[in-house]
Amino acid sequence: MSTAVSTQAATPSVQDRNKELALSMVAAWNRWELQGIIKHWAPDIRHFSEDRQVDSAQMVAAMEGGLAAFPDLHLVAKSVVAEGDRVILRITVTGSQLGEFMGKAPSGRSVTWYMLEELRFNDEGKVIEHYDVFNYLPMLKDLGFVAADVL
């Protein structure tokens, strides 16, 4: 009985590749390098925020606004699931409100919110569809926009 072990490295699956690309975008956020995210977008990418389609310029403006309000923004991918051409990330976001946000002057308060991202990749590894859903309620509580006991 032969116990030969293949010396050929296993080829990563498309799902593994896409997960790595998605995590590289999270890492770019944590370096505050928006171009490190945008470089993964296909030219004809379609963005959906809370099921509302937005164009790339609007998405970039929202990202820049987030970094202006929370310049120490940090994302932690709590789970990453890939199936077919899609990757889903469950993310916890933390930061400090050091810039204006929703008309409120900088408070210096630490905040937390949660988000889900769904990314659909083409065969070349570029994102062709991007969906996001946010749970801002914890952040709104942290900033005093809503009562702490609101569920």
Side-chain angles (χ1 to χ4, degrees), residues 3-35:
T3 58
V5 176
S6 173
T7 58
Q8 185 177 12
T11 303
S13 70
V14 169
Q15 289 81 15
D16 289 338
R17 178 204 66 186
N18 292 347
K19 284 169 43 174
E20 286 300 316
L21 291 169
L23 289 171
S24 76
M25 287 184 262
V26 171
W29 258 116
N30 289 334
R31 292 187 309 271
W32 312 297
E33 294 174 4
L34 297 185
Q35 286 304 316

Side-chain angles (χ1 to χ4, degrees), residues 9 26 31-32 41-42 48-49 69 71-73 77 80 83-84 88 96 101-104 113 117 119 127 132 141:
V26 171
R31 292 187 309 271
W32 312 297
W41 295 354
F48 298 87
S49 187
D72 61 346
L73 201 71
V80 182
E83 183 173 321
I88 308 284
S96 304
F101 180 71
M102 294 178 66
K104 186 175 177 122
W113 69 88
E117 294 275 334
L119 305 170
V127 179
D132 58 36
K141 289 179 184 181

Side-chain angles (χ1 to χ4, degrees), residues 1 11 19 23 29 35 39 56-57 62-63 76-77 94 98 102 110 113 120 125 132 139:
M1 184 183 278
T11 303
K19 284 169 43 174
L23 289 171
W29 258 116
Q35 286 304 316
K39 75 178 185 179
S56 289
M63 293 162 60
V76 175
T94 56
L98 303 177
M102 294 178 66
S110 295
W113 69 88
R120 184 170 162 238
D132 58 36
M139 174 187 51

